[in-house]
Amino acid sequence: RVTVQPFEFPLSRIHASSLREPGQIAAESIPHLVADYSGSADVTATVSRAAGPAGCEAQDFAGFPRGNIALLRRGGCDLAQKVAAAVQAGAVGVVIYNLDEGALTGSLSADTPLDLPVVMVSKAEGERLAQRTLTGVQLHLQTDTSRSMATTYNLLAESAGGDPGHVTMAGAHLDSVRAGAGINDNGSGVAAVLETARQMARVQPLN
């Protein structure tokens, strides 16, 4: 018995972005990654750091100038909490930098304001900007994103016989995250489940 189960989820798309100092040409854009579920905006503003090291709580933004772009260091809490605290403090954009030299990754939630641009930069770039906030630095931050509800499907297959009170379930997935390997992540698992289903069709399970 096979059932197709549709369900909706919020889909985030990134169309274009730019991060540079005023006067820099687009080709000189600072390397960055737009966080999944970032909002869309085109802002030029002074960059300010959070007063607290983590930037996770309202008190970390004591004295933060409203209308500025927040420069935050990764760590201490999830990205969505950092962004929410920055929004509460009046930030018009958020730049988050890595704690190490690893790859840039970042995802927020569908609750992120639609007009708030959020990007990730490297540890070295973040530390450079942090140093420059001591004397004053502006950034032009532009993101073009969109969100919509999309439909995807679960495929459920159940044996016709057996004991419904003793169920063994096996599952696999084809979806992936941006930093993942796509179908390579669980393609072998999907193949194993499909082959198991083919073989189970030949027997009469008792449980």
Side-chain angles (χ1 to χ4, degrees):
R1 185 166 60 249
V2 177
T3 304
V4 178
Q5 181 188 67
F7 66 93
E8 290 189 329
F9 69 98
L11 177 65
S12 170
R13 291 186 176 90
I14 300 167
H15 306 294
S17 66
S18 179
L19 178 67
R20 61 185 189 271
E21 294 184 38
Q24 285 184 313
I25 60 174
E28 297 173 337
S29 182
I30 297 169
H32 63 280
L33 172 80
V34 180
D36 286 334
Y37 298 100
S38 165
S40 286
D42 189 337
V43 299
T44 299
T46 299
V47 179
S48 295
R49 301 170 65 184
C56 294
E57 308 294 340
Q59 57 264 31
D60 290 336
F61 288 86
F64 184 88
R66 299 187 69 85
N68 281 14
I69 294 172
L71 176 65
L72 306 176
R73 187 177 65 181
R74 194 162 193 165
C77 61
D78 62 37
L79 300 184
Q81 184 174 339
K82 287 182 182 289
V83 169
V87 169
Q88 185 178 5
V92 296
V94 178
V95 177
I96 302 173
Y97 64 96
N98 273 0
L99 286 170
D100 52 41
E101 293 299 345
L104 298 179
T105 61
S107 182
L108 303 170
S109 74
D111 296 327
T112 305
L114 290 170
D115 59 351
L116 184 80
V118 182
V119 299
M120 316 291 298
V121 298
S122 68
K123 177 177 184 287
E125 191 60 53
E127 290 178 345
R128 183 187 72 84
L129 288 170
Q131 187 64 29
R132 294 198 59 198
T133 62
L134 300 176
T135 55
V137 60
Q138 283 194 329
L139 284 179
H140 175 213
L141 171 56
Q142 180 264 332
T143 55
D144 180 10
T145 65
S146 62
R147 293 182 217 164
S148 61
M149 296 302 295
T151 301
T152 190
Y153 305 89
N154 287 324
L155 183 64
L156 309 174
E158 301 175 84
S159 61
D163 182 356
H166 295 82
V167 176
T168 300
M169 198 232 16
H173 62 90
L174 292 175
D175 60 335
S176 180
V177 295
R178 182 187 299 276
I183 194 173
N184 291 333
D185 176 48
N186 203 227
S188 59
V190 172
V193 169
L194 290 174
E195 181 59 24
T196 300
R198 290 180 67 248
Q199 297 302 322
M200 288 292 293
R202 303 178 181 181
V203 301
Q204 298 295 322
L206 298 179
N207 64 337

